[in-house]
Amino acid sequence: MRFRSFFAILLFCLAAVLAGLGTAFYRITAIQSSPAFSQYGSWRGTKDLQLNRDDLVTTQVTLFALFALPSNEAIYLFASKDADDKLLTGSADYILEGNTHNIKATYWSITAYGKDQYLIPNSTDRYSFNANNMATDSLGNFKIILSAQQKIGNWLPVKADATFRLVLRLYQGDRDFLQHLDNAQLPAIKKI
Amino acid sequence: MRKIVIGLIGFVLLVLAIQWAVIHYLPDVVYKIATRRIEHKFNVWINAGKTDASMRRVVMPNPDFVYSALFYDVTDNNIQISGVLPDSTYASISFYDDRCQPYCVYNNLDSSRTGKFELNLVKNETSAPHTVHVKTERGVVICRFLKSTDGSYQQLVPYQKMLRCEVK
């Protein structure tokens, strides 16, 4: 009898631990749908990262963007879906169109990451584009092609048949630009 | 019936407590893992190589940057870090606590015209210039140097080598 009640308590605690770990894992990994982040066109992120003020956001950032800079220094915007709300995948090609003059920050860049959160290996050593290393027209318009197959122009390689995500980093953003980020004309991601 | 209700409430409370503990303490665990990876070598600059797909130490690195990191420890003594920020669009030195959370950033807008910087990391609150009041006795400093062109990694290596840490 005593053994049975001990076993029942042990099972009860084990179930609670598993449920606790499982729900914690679920909440941490649900970063894409976190209410702490807003949608800015194709991009999702926040102008005011609640580090050390919101436990969940703090842990999410620690795990998925370790050693990120605070919001007053840099803003990180993520995109894992195209304009049709479909996951970005290397089995399709995408075009990312924008204008350098519409992104008002001291320095900004667009980087592709694999599902594992690391840079995507490729033969050209190309992982990102910024205002200094991409081809634009005389008005500052640019097009970046996201594809697993080599393309001419601003080609950002991704892994074939695997999902990926993009990060738009804005360092020392213009205050007015950041205040009106909701209306900013950020690069749009469209499936070709 | 009463036993079942009490059991259920206990179960939910236990689940919530474990969930809270995991979410709250994970950053502490990440910092501890990081210090174990550097074999507890504090107050020594670690210069990362070229940021490319082979870099697997930190998730989502910015390939435009060349990184250097210093795990600091001011438990017994204050320290001074110094170096030169390259003349580029952007460079910064950011300070993180022992939960990997940022609390201070010094960037190229704050540095002198020559880019030289000397920052004292101190435990006690002070308003002295060029001083960073550390939030926790142990933490991390990260230097970010921006490459001006795709192939300019080698040009930034001397700046990594100029980084110093002196125990005061």
Side-chain angles (χ1 to χ4, degrees):
Chain A
M1 187 65 186
R2 192 177 283 179
F3 177 75
R4 275 182 65 183
S5 56
F6 170 76
F7 188 71
I9 290 169
L10 192 71
L11 208 65
F12 176 87
C13 291
L14 193 69
V17 168
L18 287 176
L21 289 174
T23 50
F25 177 79
Y26 174 77
R27 289 188 69 198
I28 293 166
T29 52
I31 188 166
Q32 285 297 329
S33 54
S34 169
F37 302 117
S38 308
Q39 199 71 33
Y40 303 101
S42 298
W43 306 87
R44 194 166 172 78
T46 176
K47 293 184 277 186
D48 184 21
L49 207 50
Q50 301 281 316
L51 294 175
N52 271 337
R53 284 175 281 167
D54 180 323
D55 269 352
L56 183 60
V57 172
T58 302
T59 296
Q60 287 172 328
V61 172
T62 306
L63 289 186
F64 300 112
L66 183 62
F67 298 128
L69 287 163
S71 297
N72 57 2
E73 185 71 9
I75 303 285
Y76 302 87
L77 301 175
F78 300 84
S80 55
K81 292 179 178 175
D82 63 15
D84 297 326
D85 210 31
K86 299 263 169 60
L87 280 177
L88 298 172
T89 166
S91 55
D93 290 354
Y94 301 89
I95 187 163
L96 204 148
E97 287 181 283
N99 185 296
T100 54
H101 303 303
N102 290 337
I103 309 172
K104 290 168 183 155
T106 301
Y107 153 71
W108 59 269
S109 69
I110 294 168
T111 312
Y113 294 93
K115 203 178 172 183
D116 60 0
Q117 315 286 339
Y118 293 105
L119 295 167
I120 302 167
N122 64 85
S123 57
T124 54
D125 240 10
R126 166 63 62 200
Y127 310 102
S128 68
F129 280 105
N130 60 50
N132 294 328
N133 65 10
M134 74 164 78
T136 64
D137 68 15
S138 56
L139 299 172
N141 296 309
F142 65 83
K143 287 178 183 174
I144 297 173
I145 307 289
L146 299 150
S147 173
Q149 309 301 322
Q150 187 157 4
K151 304 286 177 190
I152 51 165
N154 298 322
W155 172 48
L156 193 50
V158 295
K159 191 177 174 187
D161 302 325
T163 56
F164 65 92
R165 64 156 61 176
L166 300 171
V167 177
L168 170 59
R169 291 177 164 91
L170 306 162
Y171 293 80
Q172 293 169 353
D174 176 83
R175 191 172 292 180
D176 195 48
F177 167 70
L178 293 180
Q179 256 175 10
H180 301 99
L181 200 58
D182 314 52
N183 303 319
Q185 290 182 304
L186 297 174
I189 308 159
K190 290 173 195 156
K191 191 174 173 182
I192 299 174
Chain B
M1 184 66 184
R2 199 174 157 210
K3 267 188 178 178
I4 294 173
V5 171
I6 290 171
L8 268 175
I9 292 170
F11 183 80
V12 170
L13 288 177
L14 200 55
V15 168
L16 290 175
I18 290 163
Q19 187 194 102
W20 176 84
V22 170
I23 291 172
H24 184 79
Y25 289 109
L26 251 176
D28 300 70
V29 173
V30 170
Y31 177 78
K32 290 213 162 56
I33 292 170
T35 55
R36 197 171 293 171
R37 278 196 186 173
I38 58 136
E39 295 166 348
H40 301 278
K41 284 179 187 153
F42 289 93
N43 301 336
V44 178
W45 281 102
I46 303 162
N47 297 325
K50 191 178 170 192
T51 309
D52 57 21
S54 65
M55 192 192 228
R56 299 258 149 181
R57 281 193 172 185
V58 178
V59 292
M60 296 214 298
N62 184 343
D64 293 345
F65 284 141
V66 173
Y67 293 94
S68 290
L70 174 125
F71 283 72
Y72 70 78
D73 182 356
V74 295
T75 311
D76 299 322
N77 297 95
N78 294 333
I79 61 168
Q80 184 184 69
I81 58 169
S82 60
V84 179
L85 293 183
D87 181 21
S88 66
T89 311
Y90 180 83
S92 70
I93 303 154
S94 43
F95 299 82
Y96 300 81
D97 62 18
D98 60 8
R99 285 171 49 82
C100 305
Q101 303 311 308
Y103 61 86
C104 175
V105 181
Y106 178 90
N107 60 37
N108 52 338
L109 299 177
D110 305 317
S111 72
S112 67
R113 266 195 314 162
T114 59
K116 279 187 183 173
F117 70 89
E118 271 185 1
L119 297 170
N120 296 302
L121 276 68
V122 299
K123 265 194 295 189
N124 303 321
E125 213 156 318
T126 170
S127 56
H130 310 296
T131 299
V132 175
H133 171 228
V134 296
K135 195 175 157 197
T136 51
E137 290 183 351
R138 285 182 169 183
V140 187
V141 182
I142 301 220
C143 246
R144 290 171 166 88
F145 297 148
L146 179 66
K147 293 189 291 181
S148 54
T149 62
D150 287 337
S152 64
Y153 160 67
Q154 286 300 337
Q155 290 168 16
L156 294 172
V157 172
Y159 289 94
Q160 285 185 304
K161 289 181 177 167
M162 277 190 268
L163 291 168
R164 295 278 179 272
C165 174
E166 201 181 322
V167 177
K168 291 285 177 181

